[in-house]
Amino acid sequence: GTYTDLSVLYGSGEYIYNAARLEFWLNKRPQPKSLIVGHDSGGNIFWISLLPQDYGTVCFKQDDYPEADGPVAKSWSAFLELENDSN
């Protein structure tokens, strides 16, 4: 949940440089108007929709099991609350 995490994800920042990484994640977006905000070691992603009708909704996408894809929270703050509730 920090700037550093996004730097690692997108391969930018002071300590990590990988120009291809940003292009990789941009190509992995489930829709053009979305922002990937997290991933796990299996390549499954959490992303935020930037479309007007569901702006800010946090969604999950799993390549191997598409039936699990879909919204997990209506907003970033609601997503963080889910994380807090699970700990």
Side-chain angles (χ1 to χ4, degrees), residues 4-79:
T4 304
D5 296 335
L6 289 177
S7 294
V8 170
L9 177 67
Y10 287 110
S12 60
E14 185 177 334
Y15 301 106
I16 297 174
Y17 180 77
N18 181 351
R21 186 174 277 180
L22 178 58
E23 184 176 350
F24 171 81
W25 289 113
L26 287 174
N27 290 332
K28 197 167 175 71
R29 292 181 300 169
Q31 63 190 31
K33 292 194 174 207
S34 62
L35 174 66
I36 295 176
V37 294
H39 69 94
D40 63 17
S41 60
N44 306 312
I45 59 172
F46 287 95
W47 58 280
I48 295 178
S49 175
L50 302 177
L51 293 173
Q53 64 268 27
D54 54 1
Y55 188 86
T57 300
V58 180
C59 300
F60 179 73
K61 181 172 181 350
Q62 183 176 2
D63 289 336
D64 295 335
Y65 189 61
E67 296 81 13
D69 294 359
V72 294
K74 288 288 185 185
S75 67
W76 183 251
S77 58
F79 178 72

